[in-house]
Each structure stands twice: as C-alpha cells, then as structure tokens.
C-alpha cells in the first residue's frame, strides 16, 4: 500500500498525540489521587510510570508490526505506526519531562534519588521494550 499523504499523516499523529497526552495527564491524576499531592510532587512517579509503560507498549507495537504488518481491512501498517507509535506513544511518554525533572532534582541536591530515577527510567524503559518484543515474538 502507498504511504498516507501529509494531511492524513498529520491528522493521525495529531489525534494520537492528543490521546497520548490525555493519558499522561490521567496517569498523573491517578498518582495524585492514590498517594496525595505532596507525595506525588515529591517524586516523579507519574513520569516514571508513563516512561516504563510507554516503552513496553512501543515494544509491543514494534513486535506486532514486525510480525503481522498490516491488519486486513483496517489500515496499512504505516497508518498504525503514525497513529499509535508517533502519536499516542509520542504524546504519552515524557522523556523531555524526565530530563527536566532529573535536572531539577540534581539542582536541589537530591543526587541519590536523581540517580535512582535515571537508572530505573532508562534500564526499565529498555527492559520494557525488550519485554514487549519478547511477548510479541513468542506469540503464536
């Protein structure tokens, strides 16, 4: 199939990005509700959560696309990649926010929590992507 045109691609990415950003906002509210606003603002639980979940979801998506390609009758694989990978997951994951929060923690002298946050975000994100790929590659 031909790749979607610029307008179609733009709409897919914009819509998916809006959904992903909304999901990121909901994740923050869930954490705030679950542990309270003081605890939720003391450590970037929400950002860590979306980075880990988003990385695993990206692995699942990449594995699905590699295994199955397009889904008959729905849309071609490029449309799904744009909507879900670039749009939803691009709007959901927050490594730019991660970078800012990490620098702010370092500037506040919170070196140990910053190091733990960075290590868990990066290694957990990579592990999540491997896990997603493994799940999809092992699927029958």
């Amino acid at each position: 199939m031909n790749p979607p045109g610029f307008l179609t691609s733009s709409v897919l990415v914009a819509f998916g990005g809006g959904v992903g950003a909304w999901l990121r906002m909901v994740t923050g509210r869930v954490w705030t509700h679950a542990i309270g606003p003081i605890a939720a603002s003391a450590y970037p639980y929400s950002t860590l959560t979306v980075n880990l979940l988003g990385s695993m979801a990206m692995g699942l998506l990449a594995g699905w696309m590699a295994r199955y390609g397009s889904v008959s009758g729905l849309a071609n694989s490029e449309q799904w990649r744009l909507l879900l990978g670039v749009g939803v997951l691009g709007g959901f994951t927050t490594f730019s926010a991660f970078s800012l929060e990490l620098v702010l923690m370092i500037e506040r002298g919170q070196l140990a929590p910053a190091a733990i946050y960075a290590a868990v975000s990066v290694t957990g994100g990579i592990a999540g992507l491997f896990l997603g790929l493994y799940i999809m590659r092992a699927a029958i």
Side-chain angles (χ1 to χ4, degrees):
M1 294 183 88
N2 293 330
F6 180 78
L7 182 59
T8 300
S9 297
S10 297
V11 169
L12 291 167
V13 170
F15 178 75
V19 170
W22 177 78
L23 289 170
R24 185 175 69 228
M25 183 268 308
V26 168
T27 303
R29 288 185 179 223
V30 167
W31 269 111
T32 300
H33 178 73
I35 63 176
I38 294 172
S41 65
Y43 194 80
Y45 295 105
S46 177
T47 302
L48 181 60
T49 299
V50 298
N51 284 341
L52 298 179
L53 290 176
S55 293
M56 188 176 88
M58 186 66 81
L60 290 168
L61 178 63
W64 177 274
M65 301 297 285
R67 176 173 275 237
Y68 300 108
S70 63
V71 180
S72 173
L74 294 177
N76 71 33
S77 59
E78 180 63 6
Q79 289 172 323
W80 284 109
R81 185 189 73 78
L82 289 169
L83 176 67
L84 299 175
V86 178
V88 174
L89 294 177
F92 181 62
T93 59
T94 55
F95 267 86
S96 59
F98 157 78
S99 299
L100 174 62
E101 290 167 343
L102 183 63
V103 167
L104 292 175
M105 292 171 81
I106 292 168
E107 288 178 344
R108 288 192 303 255
Q110 299 173 316
L111 299 181
I116 292 168
Y117 179 51
V120 171
S121 292
V122 173
T123 59
I126 292 167
L129 195 130
F130 272 117
L131 177 61
L133 284 172
Y134 173 78
I135 290 169
M136 289 312 304
R137 287 175 178 160
I140 297 175

